[in-house]
Amino acid sequence: MADSPDILKYFFEEPVLVEPVTPDADPDARRRAERPERGPGASGPSMPIDQLLQTDDYYRGYLAGTRTDGAPDPDTDRVGLTALPDPEAYVTPLIEALGRSWWAVVDSDGDVLEIHRDTAARRFAAPNDAAALVTASDAVPPERAAAVVGRGRREALGPLRAVLDAGAVVFFPERAHDGFDWSFFGPKPMRDRLVAAFRAHPAPGLRRFVLPYQKARSESKFYFETWQLKEPSLPDYIEEV
């Protein structure tokens, strides 16, 4: 493994308040230029929780990545899940663990197109104009799938809950500095299934970490790889898989 391997991070929240992963007013909150000084004392904005729908029936995940190309200098890193050199490191586990027989893409205009599993895999690697990917055992009516995008993430919380109640898993591309991360919501716990899928698909040259979303609510903790990997040991809430 390279001295500075690429990094994949899986943040989970089970159960979850159904809320945006990043505030609508700041969709690029994970961009490098907006990060604070890296280090244990750094802090970042916490997520507002007012006016959110309370529930204990839904489950959230967030996949992020950092590409280092083996270089030890963090200033040369490329930040974003889709910046990783081998998308199979996350695409195959995602589809095997969380995908169903039916897939659709919702574009930025709210148009819904049923797609094949292989097309969904390509969209995970390169979202293009995708605003959401939806997968379920049975087809979701187009108007219900389109509603999860809405005019903004907050306005679409009700439709999102309705689609989750129907058994679907919904994925949203989230802008990163050098591409996209992916957030996703499901009606059943997803952590154990996705971790098992990661373990079933080794990824040489990539270190993969799993940690609770609540432990990464500051920018310094979200980007823990920039300083904590140099410590003798990681906090016990971070699991490497």
Coordinates of all heavy atoms in Angstrom, one line a residue, residues 157-228:
L157 N -38.7 17.0 1.9 CA -38.7 16.1 3.0 C -39.9 15.2 3.0 O -39.8 14.0 3.2 CB -38.5 16.8 4.3 CG -37.1 17.4 4.5 CD1 -37.1 18.1 5.9 CD2 -36.0 16.4 4.4
G158 N -41.1 15.8 2.9 CA -42.3 15.0 2.9 C -42.3 13.9 1.8 O -42.6 12.7 2.1
P159 N -42.1 14.3 0.5 CA -42.1 13.3 -0.5 C -41.0 12.3 -0.3 O -41.1 11.1 -0.7 CB -41.8 14.2 -1.8 CG -42.4 15.5 -1.5 CD -42.1 15.7 0.0
L160 N -39.8 12.7 0.2 CA -38.7 11.7 0.5 C -39.2 10.7 1.5 O -39.0 9.5 1.2 CB -37.5 12.4 1.0 CG -36.4 11.5 1.5 CD1 -35.8 10.7 0.3 CD2 -35.2 12.3 2.1
R161 N -39.9 11.1 2.5 CA -40.4 10.1 3.5 C -41.4 9.2 2.9 O -41.4 8.0 3.1 CB -41.0 10.9 4.7 CG -40.0 11.6 5.6 CD -40.7 12.2 6.7 NE -41.4 11.3 7.6 CZ -41.9 11.6 8.8 NH1 -41.9 12.9 9.2 NH2 -42.5 10.7 9.5
A162 N -42.2 9.7 2.0 CA -43.2 8.9 1.3 C -42.6 7.8 0.5 O -43.0 6.6 0.4 CB -44.2 9.7 0.5
V163 N -41.5 8.2 -0.3 CA -40.8 7.2 -1.1 C -40.1 6.2 -0.2 O -40.1 5.0 -0.5 CB -39.8 7.9 -2.1 CG1 -38.9 6.9 -2.8 CG2 -40.6 8.7 -3.1
L164 N -39.5 6.6 0.9 CA -38.8 5.7 1.8 C -39.8 4.7 2.4 O -39.6 3.5 2.5 CB -38.1 6.4 2.9 CG -36.9 7.3 2.4 CD1 -36.4 8.0 3.7 CD2 -35.9 6.6 1.7
D165 N -41.0 5.2 2.7 CA -42.1 4.4 3.3 C -42.5 3.3 2.3 O -43.0 2.2 2.7 CB -43.3 5.2 3.7 CG -43.0 6.0 4.9 OD1 -42.1 5.7 5.7 OD2 -43.8 7.0 5.2
A166 N -42.3 3.5 1.0 CA -42.7 2.5 0.0 C -41.5 1.5 -0.2 O -41.6 0.6 -1.1 CB -43.0 3.2 -1.3
G167 N -40.4 1.6 0.6 CA -39.4 0.7 0.5 C -38.2 1.0 -0.4 O -37.3 0.2 -0.6
A168 N -38.2 2.3 -0.9 CA -37.1 2.7 -1.8 C -35.9 3.1 -1.0 O -36.0 3.5 0.1 CB -37.6 3.8 -2.7
V169 N -34.7 3.1 -1.7 CA -33.5 3.8 -1.2 C -33.2 4.9 -2.2 O -33.3 4.7 -3.4 CB -32.3 2.8 -1.2 CG1 -31.1 3.5 -0.7 CG2 -32.6 1.6 -0.2
V170 N -32.9 6.1 -1.7 CA -32.7 7.3 -2.5 C -31.3 7.8 -2.3 O -30.9 8.0 -1.2 CB -33.8 8.4 -2.2 CG1 -33.6 9.6 -3.1 CG2 -35.2 7.8 -2.3
F171 N -30.6 8.1 -3.4 CA -29.3 8.6 -3.4 C -29.2 10.0 -4.0 O -29.9 10.3 -5.0 CB -28.3 7.7 -4.2 CG -28.3 6.3 -3.8 CD1 -29.3 5.4 -4.3 CD2 -27.3 5.8 -3.0 CE1 -29.2 4.0 -3.9 CE2 -27.3 4.4 -2.6 CZ -28.2 3.6 -3.1
F172 N -28.4 10.9 -3.3 CA -28.3 12.2 -3.8 C -26.8 12.5 -4.0 O -26.0 12.3 -3.1 CB -28.8 13.2 -2.8 CG -30.3 13.2 -2.5 CD1 -30.8 12.5 -1.4 CD2 -31.2 13.7 -3.4 CE1 -32.1 12.4 -1.2 CE2 -32.6 13.7 -3.2 CZ -33.0 13.0 -2.1
P173 N -26.4 13.1 -5.2 CA -25.0 13.5 -5.3 C -24.8 14.8 -4.6 O -25.7 15.7 -4.6 CB -24.9 13.8 -6.9 CG -26.3 14.1 -7.3 CD -27.2 13.3 -6.4
E174 N -23.7 14.9 -3.9 CA -23.4 16.1 -3.1 C -22.1 16.7 -3.6 O -21.1 16.0 -3.7 CB -23.2 15.7 -1.6 CG -24.4 14.9 -1.0 CD -25.6 15.8 -0.8 OE1 -25.5 17.1 -0.9 OE2 -26.7 15.3 -0.4
R175 N -22.1 18.0 -3.9 CA -20.9 18.6 -4.5 C -19.7 18.5 -3.5 O -19.9 18.8 -2.3 CB -21.1 20.0 -4.9 CG -22.0 20.1 -6.2 CD -21.9 21.5 -6.8 NE -22.6 21.5 -8.1 CZ -22.1 21.2 -9.2 NH1 -20.8 20.8 -9.3 NH2 -22.8 21.3 -10.3
A176 N -18.6 18.2 -4.0 CA -17.3 18.2 -3.3 C -16.3 19.1 -4.0 O -16.7 19.6 -5.1 CB -16.7 16.8 -3.1
H177 N -15.1 19.3 -3.5 CA -14.2 20.2 -4.1 C -13.8 19.7 -5.5 O -13.6 20.5 -6.5 CB -13.0 20.4 -3.3 CG -12.0 21.4 -3.8 ND1 -12.2 22.7 -3.8 CD2 -10.8 21.2 -4.4 CE1 -11.2 23.4 -4.3 NE2 -10.3 22.5 -4.7
D178 N -13.6 18.4 -5.7 CA -13.1 17.9 -6.9 C -14.1 16.8 -7.5 O -13.6 15.7 -8.0 CB -11.7 17.3 -6.8 CG -10.7 18.3 -6.3 OD1 -10.5 19.2 -7.1 OD2 -10.2 18.2 -5.2
G179 N -15.3 17.0 -7.4 CA -16.3 16.1 -7.9 C -17.5 16.0 -7.0 O -18.1 17.0 -6.6
F180 N -17.9 14.8 -6.7 CA -19.1 14.6 -5.9 C -18.9 13.5 -4.9 O -18.2 12.5 -5.1 CB -20.3 14.1 -6.8 CG -20.8 15.2 -7.8 CD1 -20.2 15.3 -9.0 CD2 -21.8 16.1 -7.4 CE1 -20.6 16.3 -9.9 CE2 -22.3 17.0 -8.3 CZ -21.7 17.2 -9.5
D181 N -19.6 13.7 -3.7 CA -19.8 12.6 -2.8 C -21.3 12.1 -3.0 O -22.0 12.7 -3.8 CB -19.7 13.1 -1.3 CG -18.3 13.6 -1.0 OD1 -17.3 13.1 -1.6 OD2 -18.2 14.5 -0.1
W182 N -21.7 11.1 -2.3 CA -23.1 10.6 -2.4 C -23.6 10.4 -1.0 O -23.0 9.8 -0.1 CB -23.1 9.2 -3.1 CG -23.0 9.3 -4.5 CD1 -21.9 9.2 -5.3 CD2 -24.1 9.5 -5.5 NE1 -22.2 9.3 -6.6 CE2 -23.5 9.5 -6.8 CE3 -25.5 9.7 -5.3 CZ2 -24.3 9.7 -7.9 CZ3 -26.2 9.9 -6.4 CH2 -25.7 9.9 -7.7
S183 N -24.8 11.0 -0.8 CA -25.6 10.7 0.4 C -26.8 9.8 0.0 O -27.2 9.8 -1.1 CB -26.2 12.1 1.0 OG -27.1 12.7 0.1
F184 N -27.3 9.1 1.0 CA -28.4 8.2 0.7 C -29.2 7.9 1.9 O -28.7 8.0 3.0 CB -27.8 6.9 0.1 CG -26.7 6.3 0.8 CD1 -26.8 5.2 1.7 CD2 -25.4 6.7 0.6 CE1 -25.7 4.7 2.4 CE2 -24.3 6.2 1.2 CZ -24.4 5.2 2.1
F185 N -30.5 7.6 1.7 CA -31.5 7.4 2.7 C -32.2 6.1 2.4 O -32.5 5.8 1.3 CB -32.5 8.6 2.8 CG -31.9 9.9 3.1 CD1 -31.2 10.7 2.2 CD2 -32.0 10.4 4.4 CE1 -30.6 11.9 2.5 CE2 -31.4 11.6 4.8 CZ -30.7 12.3 3.8
G186 N -32.5 5.4 3.5 CA -33.3 4.1 3.3 C -34.2 3.9 4.4 O -34.1 4.5 5.5
P187 N -35.2 3.0 4.2 CA -36.2 2.7 5.3 C -35.7 1.7 6.3 O -36.4 1.4 7.3 CB -37.4 2.2 4.4 CG -36.7 1.5 3.3 CD -35.5 2.3 3.0
K188 N -34.6 1.0 6.0 CA -34.1 0.0 6.9 C -32.6 0.2 7.2 O -31.9 0.9 6.4 CB -34.3 -1.4 6.3 CG -35.7 -1.8 6.1 CD -35.8 -3.2 5.5 CE -37.3 -3.6 5.2 NZ -37.4 -4.9 4.6
P189 N -32.0 -0.3 8.3 CA -30.6 -0.1 8.6 C -29.8 -0.5 7.4 O -30.0 -1.6 6.7 CB -30.4 -1.0 9.8 CG -31.7 -1.0 10.5 CD -32.7 -1.1 9.4
M190 N -28.7 0.2 7.1 CA -27.9 0.0 5.9 C -26.4 -0.3 6.3 O -25.7 -0.8 5.5 CB -28.0 1.2 4.9 CG -29.4 1.4 4.4 SD -29.5 2.8 3.2 CE -29.2 4.2 4.3
R191 N -26.0 0.2 7.4 CA -24.6 0.1 7.8 C -24.0 -1.3 7.6 O -23.0 -1.5 7.0 CB -24.4 0.6 9.2 CG -22.9 0.6 9.6 CD -22.7 0.7 11.1 NE -21.3 0.6 11.5 CZ -20.6 -0.5 11.6 NH1 -21.2 -1.7 11.3 NH2 -19.4 -0.5 12.0
D192 N -24.6 -2.2 8.3 CA -24.0 -3.6 8.3 C -24.0 -4.2 6.9 O -23.0 -4.9 6.6 CB -24.8 -4.5 9.3 CG -24.7 -4.1 10.7 OD1 -23.8 -3.3 11.0 OD2 -25.4 -4.7 11.6
R193 N -25.0 -3.9 6.1 CA -25.0 -4.5 4.8 C -23.9 -3.9 3.9 O -23.2 -4.6 3.2 CB -26.4 -4.2 4.1 CG -27.5 -5.1 4.6 CD -28.8 -4.8 3.9 NE -29.3 -3.6 4.3 CZ -30.2 -2.9 3.6 NH1 -30.6 -3.3 2.4 NH2 -30.7 -1.7 4.1
L194 N -23.7 -2.6 4.0 CA -22.7 -1.9 3.2 C -21.3 -2.3 3.7 O -20.4 -2.5 2.8 CB -22.9 -0.4 3.2 CG -22.0 0.4 2.3 CD1 -22.1 -0.1 0.9 CD2 -22.5 1.9 2.3
V195 N -21.1 -2.3 5.0 CA -19.8 -2.7 5.5 C -19.4 -4.1 5.0 O -18.3 -4.4 4.6 CB -19.7 -2.6 7.0 CG1 -18.5 -3.3 7.6 CG2 -19.8 -1.1 7.4
A196 N -20.4 -5.0 5.1 CA -20.2 -6.4 4.6 C -19.8 -6.4 3.1 O -18.9 -7.2 2.7 CB -21.4 -7.3 4.9
A197 N -20.5 -5.6 2.3 CA -20.1 -5.5 0.9 C -18.7 -4.9 0.7 O -18.0 -5.4 -0.2 CB -21.2 -4.6 0.2
F198 N -18.3 -3.9 1.5 CA -17.0 -3.4 1.4 C -16.0 -4.6 1.7 O -15.0 -4.7 0.9 CB -16.7 -2.3 2.3 CG -17.3 -1.0 1.9 CD1 -17.9 -0.1 2.8 CD2 -17.1 -0.6 0.6 CE1 -18.5 1.1 2.3 CE2 -17.6 0.6 0.1 CZ -18.3 1.5 1.0
R199 N -16.2 -5.3 2.7 CA -15.3 -6.4 3.1 C -15.2 -7.5 2.0 O -14.2 -8.1 1.8 CB -15.7 -7.0 4.4 CG -15.4 -6.0 5.6 CD -15.7 -6.6 6.9 NE -15.3 -5.7 8.0 CZ -15.9 -5.5 9.1 NH1 -17.1 -6.0 9.3 NH2 -15.4 -4.7 10.0
A200 N -16.3 -7.7 1.3 CA -16.4 -8.7 0.2 C -15.6 -8.2 -1.0 O -15.4 -9.1 -1.9 CB -17.8 -9.0 -0.1
H201 N -15.3 -6.9 -1.1 CA -14.6 -6.4 -2.3 C -13.4 -5.6 -1.8 O -13.4 -4.4 -1.7 CB -15.6 -5.5 -3.1 CG -16.8 -6.2 -3.7 ND1 -16.7 -6.9 -4.8 CD2 -18.0 -6.4 -3.2 CE1 -17.8 -7.5 -5.1 NE2 -18.7 -7.2 -4.1
P202 N -12.3 -6.3 -1.6 CA -11.0 -5.6 -1.2 C -10.7 -4.5 -2.3 O -10.9 -4.7 -3.5 CB -10.0 -6.7 -1.2 CG -10.8 -8.0 -1.0 CD -12.1 -7.7 -1.7
A203 N -10.0 -3.5 -1.8 CA -9.6 -2.4 -2.7 C -8.2 -2.0 -2.3 O -8.0 -1.1 -1.5 CB -10.6 -1.2 -2.5
P204 N -7.2 -2.6 -3.0 CA -5.8 -2.3 -2.7 C -5.5 -0.8 -3.0 O -6.1 -0.2 -3.9 CB -5.0 -3.1 -3.7 CG -6.0 -4.3 -4.0 CD -7.4 -3.7 -4.0
G205 N -4.7 -0.2 -2.1 CA -4.4 1.2 -2.3 C -5.4 2.2 -1.7 O -5.3 3.4 -1.9
L206 N -6.4 1.6 -1.1 CA -7.5 2.4 -0.6 C -7.8 2.1 0.9 O -8.0 0.9 1.2 CB -8.8 2.2 -1.4 CG -10.0 3.0 -0.9 CD1 -9.9 4.5 -1.2 CD2 -11.3 2.5 -1.6
R207 N -7.8 3.0 1.8 CA -8.2 2.8 3.2 C -9.6 3.2 3.3 O -10.0 4.3 2.9 CB -7.3 3.5 4.1 CG -5.8 3.1 4.1 CD -5.0 3.7 5.2 NE -5.3 3.3 6.5 CZ -4.7 3.7 7.6 NH1 -3.8 4.6 7.6 NH2 -5.1 3.3 8.8
R208 N -10.4 2.4 4.0 CA -11.9 2.6 4.1 C -12.2 2.7 5.6 O -11.9 1.8 6.3 CB -12.7 1.5 3.4 CG -12.3 1.4 1.9 CD -13.0 0.2 1.2 NE -12.6 -1.0 1.8 CZ -12.9 -2.2 1.2 NH1 -13.6 -2.3 0.1 NH2 -12.5 -3.3 1.8
F209 N -13.0 3.8 5.9 CA -13.3 4.0 7.3 C -14.8 4.2 7.5 O -15.5 4.8 6.6 CB -12.6 5.3 7.8 CG -11.1 5.2 7.8 CD1 -10.4 5.7 6.7 CD2 -10.4 4.6 8.8 CE1 -9.0 5.6 6.6 CE2 -9.0 4.5 8.7 CZ -8.3 5.0 7.6
V210 N -15.3 3.7 8.6 CA -16.7 3.8 8.9 C -16.8 4.5 10.3 O -16.1 4.2 11.2 CB -17.4 2.4 9.0 CG1 -18.9 2.5 9.4 CG2 -17.2 1.7 7.7
L211 N -17.7 5.5 10.3 CA -17.9 6.3 11.6 C -19.2 6.9 11.7 O -19.9 7.2 10.6 CB -16.8 7.3 11.8 CG -16.7 8.5 10.9 CD1 -16.0 9.7 11.5 CD2 -15.9 8.1 9.6
P212 N -19.7 7.1 12.9 CA -21.1 7.8 13.0 C -21.0 9.2 12.5 O -20.1 10.0 12.8 CB -21.3 7.7 14.6 CG -20.3 6.7 15.1 CD -19.2 6.8 14.2
Y213 N -22.1 9.6 11.9 CA -22.2 11.0 11.3 C -22.1 12.0 12.5 O -21.5 13.1 12.3 CB -23.5 11.1 10.6 CG -23.7 12.5 10.0 CD1 -23.0 13.0 8.9 CD2 -24.7 13.3 10.6 CE1 -23.2 14.3 8.5 CE2 -24.9 14.6 10.2 CZ -24.2 15.1 9.1 OH -24.4 16.4 8.6
Q214 N -22.7 11.7 13.6 CA -22.7 12.6 14.7 C -21.3 12.9 15.2 O -21.1 14.0 15.9 CB -23.6 12.1 15.9 CG -25.0 12.0 15.6 CD -25.7 13.4 15.4 OE1 -25.2 14.4 15.9 NE2 -26.7 13.5 14.6
K215 N -20.3 12.1 14.9 CA -19.0 12.3 15.4 C -18.2 13.2 14.3 O -17.0 13.4 14.5 CB -18.2 11.0 15.5 CG -18.8 10.1 16.6 CD -18.6 10.7 18.0 CE -19.0 9.7 19.1 NZ -18.7 10.2 20.5
A216 N -18.8 13.6 13.3 CA -18.1 14.3 12.2 C -18.8 15.6 11.8 O -18.8 16.0 10.7 CB -18.0 13.4 11.0
R217 N -19.4 16.2 12.8 CA -20.2 17.4 12.6 C -19.4 18.7 12.5 O -19.9 19.8 12.3 CB -21.3 17.6 13.6 CG -22.4 16.4 13.4 CD -23.5 16.5 14.4 NE -24.4 17.6 14.2 CZ -25.5 17.5 13.4 NH1 -25.8 16.4 12.8 NH2 -26.3 18.5 13.3
S218 N -18.1 18.6 12.7 CA -17.2 19.8 12.4 C -16.4 19.4 11.2 O -16.2 18.3 10.9 CB -16.3 20.1 13.6 OG -15.3 19.1 13.8
E219 N -15.9 20.5 10.5 CA -15.1 20.2 9.4 C -13.8 19.5 9.7 O -13.4 18.6 8.9 CB -14.7 21.6 8.7 CG -15.9 22.3 8.2 CD -16.6 21.6 7.0 OE1 -15.9 21.4 5.9 OE2 -17.8 21.2 7.1
S220 N -13.2 19.8 10.8 CA -11.9 19.1 11.1 C -12.2 17.6 11.4 O -11.3 16.7 11.0 CB -11.3 19.7 12.4 OG -12.1 19.6 13.5
K221 N -13.3 17.2 11.9 CA -13.6 15.8 12.2 C -14.0 15.1 10.9 O -13.8 13.9 10.7 CB -14.6 15.7 13.3 CG -14.1 16.1 14.6 CD -15.1 15.8 15.7 CE -14.4 16.2 17.1 NZ -15.4 16.0 18.2
F222 N -14.7 15.9 10.0 CA -15.1 15.3 8.7 C -13.9 14.9 7.9 O -13.8 13.9 7.3 CB -16.0 16.3 7.9 CG -16.5 15.7 6.7 CD1 -17.8 15.1 6.6 CD2 -15.8 15.8 5.5 CE1 -18.2 14.6 5.4 CE2 -16.3 15.3 4.3 CZ -17.5 14.7 4.2
Y223 N -12.9 15.8 8.0 CA -11.6 15.5 7.3 C -10.5 15.0 8.2 O -9.4 15.4 8.2 CB -11.1 16.8 6.6 CG -12.0 17.3 5.5 CD1 -12.9 18.4 5.7 CD2 -12.1 16.7 4.3 CE1 -13.7 18.9 4.7 CE2 -13.0 17.1 3.3 CZ -13.8 18.2 3.5 OH -14.6 18.7 2.5
F224 N -10.9 14.0 9.0 CA -10.0 13.5 10.0 C -8.8 12.9 9.5 O -7.7 12.9 10.1 CB -10.7 12.4 10.9 CG -11.0 11.2 10.2 CD1 -10.1 10.1 10.1 CD2 -12.3 11.0 9.5 CE1 -10.4 9.0 9.4 CE2 -12.6 9.8 8.9 CZ -11.6 8.8 8.8
E225 N -8.8 12.5 8.2 CA -7.6 11.9 7.6 C -6.4 12.8 7.5 O -5.3 12.4 7.3 CB -8.0 11.2 6.2 CG -8.2 12.2 5.1 CD -9.6 12.7 5.0 OE1 -10.4 12.5 6.0 OE2 -10.0 13.2 4.0
T226 N -6.7 14.1 7.5 CA -5.6 15.1 7.3 C -4.7 15.2 8.5 O -3.6 15.7 8.4 CB -6.2 16.5 7.0 OG1 -6.9 17.0 8.0 CG2 -7.0 16.4 5.7
W227 N -5.2 14.7 9.7 CA -4.3 14.8 10.9 C -4.4 13.6 11.8 O -3.4 13.2 12.3 CB -4.6 16.1 11.7 CG -6.0 16.3 12.1 CD1 -7.0 16.8 11.3 CD2 -6.6 15.9 13.3 NE1 -8.2 16.8 12.0 CE2 -8.0 16.2 13.2 CE3 -6.1 15.3 14.5 CZ2 -8.9 16.0 14.3 CZ3 -7.0 15.0 15.5 CH2 -8.4 15.4 15.4
Q228 N -5.5 13.0 11.9 CA -5.6 11.8 12.8 C -4.9 10.6 12.4 O -4.5 9.8 13.2 CB -7.1 11.5 13.1 CG -7.7 12.6 14.1 CD -9.2 12.2 14.4 OE1 -10.0 12.1 13.5 NE2 -9.5 12.1 15.7

